[in-house]
Amino acid sequence: MLKIALPNKGRLSEEVRELFNDAGLEVRGRGERALTASLGGEFEAIFVRAQDIPEFVADGAAQAGVTGWDLVNEAGRELESLMDLEFGRCRLVVAAREDSGITRAEDVKDGMRVASCFPRLTQAWFQQRGQRVTVVPVSGAAEIAPHLGIADIVVDLTSTGSTLKMNGLREVSTVLESSARLVAYPGNGAEARRSLEELTQALGSVLAARGRRYLMANVPKTSLEQVREVLPGLNGPTVVDVMDGGNFVAVHAVVSSRTIYRTVNALKALGGQGILVTRIERLMA
């Protein structure tokens, strides 16, 4: 049974568990503090700190893992990125005090001190730009460093930028865009790769279904051309004859949940009846 390293706590852990559950790989553990659990009887989950997952996977202790792309890059280990899981989105940014006069990366002078929980990425980014800075590693709350005189600027994670603004900091530049990723051990054998390909397809089908709805309706045959414009679907709507339906046919389509309100009203305007909208659990193209 392949081992999958998953985050043991935090928002990322909750979203990962939800995704695996939706894919039919229910997390079955002995308790909240269990270090291992079954994933639907197909895989074994091992729960570790998100920042340790790149090391566990790169060393082959787990065949795959889920963690932030920022942590993967900070670890600097050789890993295969299998898929972007599309949640946990954030940015690693350079930020300076509002009153510092630093408004762009070029304003950072040689010798300035930079506080960050990502010392490797920070050093590499400034070196690539030819800027000589002193990196001050911190384990958390980097945004307070400039106010304490520990550093001139910070490199920190942000989602909306509100925390930085709240602490009197201005975003200067983006170092890296991050999200949750499924990564794998490069030395996996053929059987492990096949299993991980099936896992990737299962998780991908759940992600593809999010934000989509399955719509069914009976519409007049004379309105089919207009209906095709309203319901483009994946490959256009599926049209099915209705027994004793007379001048009506049934149309089925996958549509965006963002536009479902307007779509239903457009179908009603075309004479649609018996309109039914349902959620989609998984969608495999």
Side-chain angles (χ1 to χ4, degrees):
M1 189 175 292
L2 299 189
K3 291 184 174 63
I4 312 292
L6 302 180
N8 60 355
K9 60 182 179 179
R11 177 64 178 166
L12 185 59
S13 173
E14 295 173 3
E15 292 188 277
V16 169
R17 286 171 179 255
E18 180 183 357
L19 175 61
F20 275 79
N21 285 339
D22 289 346
L25 297 169
E26 183 183 358
V27 180
R28 303 169 187 164
R30 298 176 182 175
E32 291 185 1
R33 296 187 178 183
L35 298 178
T36 63
S38 169
L39 293 175
E42 300 292 335
F43 302 94
E44 180 184 4
I46 57 174
F47 300 109
V48 295
R49 298 190 310 165
Q51 56 265 48
D52 293 333
I53 289 176
E55 301 292 342
F56 275 70
V57 178
D59 288 338
Q63 284 69 49
V66 176
T67 191
W69 190 235
D70 53 314
L71 297 174
V72 172
N73 281 271
E74 177 63 21
R77 300 296 302 274
E78 184 182 353
L79 293 168
E80 292 182 7
S81 178
L82 299 184
M83 69 182 306
D84 184 344
L85 300 180
E86 302 177 10
F87 54 78
R89 294 197 180 279
C90 57
R91 292 172 293 117
L92 187 63
V93 302
V94 180
R97 286 178 55 165
E98 291 280 2
D99 58 2
S100 68
I102 299 174
T103 60
R104 54 184 188 149
E106 289 76 7
D107 295 333
V108 177
K109 302 293 191 297
D110 285 353
M112 281 189 168
R113 293 168 64 82
V114 187
S116 180
C117 301
F118 298 85
R120 183 182 177 279
L121 278 173
T122 300
Q123 191 72 62
W125 192 78
F126 281 105
Q127 280 183 350
Q128 188 176 21
R129 296 176 56 84
Q131 293 171 288
R132 300 176 182 176
V133 298
T134 299
V135 177
V136 181
V138 295
S139 58
E143 63 270 9
I144 200 172
H147 300 287
L148 297 178
I150 297 173
D152 301 290
I153 58 177
V154 301
V155 171
D156 202 9
L157 286 177
T158 184
S159 296
T160 63
S162 59
T163 302
L164 295 176
K165 291 179 182 178
M166 189 184 305
N167 288 283
L169 299 177
R170 174 199 297 125
E171 284 188 41
V172 173
S173 187
T174 299
V175 175
L176 178 76
E177 293 190 357
S178 180
S179 59
R181 302 288 178 98
L182 175 65
V183 295
Y185 173 54
N188 282 329
E191 185 175 349
R193 288 179 180 274
R194 281 194 297 270
S195 294
L196 291 176
E197 183 178 353
E198 292 174 354
L199 172 63
T200 302
Q201 291 174 348
L203 299 180
S205 70
V206 174
L207 296 175
R210 291 180 176 178
R212 305 282 187 92
R213 298 291 183 268
Y214 192 72
L215 184 147
M216 295 167 278
N218 293 335
V219 299
K221 294 179 180 178
T222 54
S223 300
L224 269 180
E225 287 304 317
Q226 297 97 311
V227 168
R228 285 193 176 93
E229 296 178 5
V230 175
L231 297 176
L234 293 177
N235 297 298
T238 299
V239 180
V240 183
D241 286 330
V242 178
M243 185 175 294
D244 299 327
N247 294 324
F248 282 81
V249 291
V251 292
H252 298 200
V254 176
V255 298
S256 170
S257 59
R258 294 181 180 179
T259 58
I260 194 65
Y261 177 81
R262 292 193 297 273
T263 300
V264 169
N265 285 332
L267 286 176
K268 289 172 65 178
L270 292 172
Q273 300 176 359
I275 300 173
L276 177 65
V277 179
T278 66
R279 293 182 179 274
I280 305 172
E281 292 189 3
R282 295 175 61 173
L283 178 61
M284 303 189 76

